[in-house]
Amino acid sequence: MSLSTAVRRPVLADLIARPSTRTRALATDAALVLAGVALVALLAKVSFFIGPVPITGQTLGVIVVGAALGARRGAAALTTYMLAGLAGAPIFAGALAGPAYVLNPAFGFIIGFIPAAFVAGWVAERAWDRKPALAFAGFVGASIVPFLIGVPYMAVILGTVVGAEVTVALVLEAGVTPFIVPGLIKAAFAALLIPAAWLGARAVERRSRR
């Protein structure tokens, strides 16, 4: 048994009764992934633009989906979300979708959501999501991940496609500074929501045993 398997703890999605056959288990996982896509798509529409990259509810959705589904299913959900948007489904922030979205300055953040969901799921699989303080620390870490991909991608698109003069000040103003406080707020909200969901699940479990 590997260390990663040994330390993995159940996530919220694991509380669902697991089907006895592999086919039904895969169908359950697929349904969970699609539910994760729907949640992120819904929160993506809660957005406002202050520059080339919108402030949206997507990051909150990414964290919640990753934590609730676990690392692999969470990453699968955000991969499906990205591919569905590139296929033309209107699920990204704003009205644009389709293959041309790769030329949008914000697309790098969409790519970054995939490893971010994985990190949030990894945090949950170590049971950090049971306590708000640990959950907040882990979710802040997950929130940083999209910037590691999104900011350089945005700079390239602004410089090569938009034709803007890319400077450090421009990059920080357009893709970093406006998102710090909203990101912390979303991580804090998720750090309250997920532990509360665990408390609710435990209460239901206790009642079922009586």
Side-chain angles (χ1 to χ4, degrees):
M1 178 181 295
S2 67
L3 178 62
S4 60
T5 302
V7 299
R8 186 189 185 281
R9 301 285 294 276
V11 296
L12 285 168
D14 293 327
L15 299 181
I16 298 174
R18 304 303 296 167
S20 57
T21 67
R22 180 174 177 81
T23 300
R24 291 183 178 180
L26 289 174
T28 299
D29 287 340
L32 289 169
V33 165
L34 291 177
V37 172
L39 177 62
V40 176
L42 178 65
L43 290 177
K45 298 305 180 182
V46 182
S47 65
F48 59 94
F49 286 80
I50 59 173
V53 180
I55 293 178
T56 75
Q58 280 174 308
T59 308
L60 174 61
V62 170
I63 293 172
V64 170
V65 167
L69 300 189
R72 292 183 179 180
R73 286 177 299 210
L78 271 298
T79 301
T80 303
Y81 173 78
M82 180 186 71
L83 295 176
L86 290 178
I91 56 177
F92 294 151
L96 298 178
Y101 201 84
V102 298
L103 300 178
N104 190 298
F107 184 68
F109 290 88
I110 302 293
I111 299 173
F113 288 158
I114 299 171
F118 186 92
V119 170
W122 187 92
V123 166
E125 289 170 1
R126 272 71 192 166
W128 286 27
D129 64 333
R130 316 294 175 88
K131 298 180 179 180
L134 284 176
F136 178 70
F139 294 162
V140 167
S143 299
I144 292 173
V145 173
F147 291 89
L148 302 179
I149 299 173
V151 172
Y153 193 100
M154 180 194 68
V156 170
I157 296 298
L158 289 177
T160 60
V161 177
V162 179
E165 182 181 352
V166 178
T167 64
V168 173
L170 172 65
V171 169
L172 291 176
E173 182 181 355
V176 179
T177 306
F179 303 96
I180 294 175
V181 173
L184 292 173
I185 292 173
K186 285 181 277 189
F189 183 77
L192 295 175
L193 178 64
I194 298 297
W198 272 110
L199 289 175
R202 287 168 178 160
V204 171
E205 185 179 8
R206 285 194 297 268
R207 291 174 185 172
S208 66
R209 290 177 179 176
R210 293 176 182 174

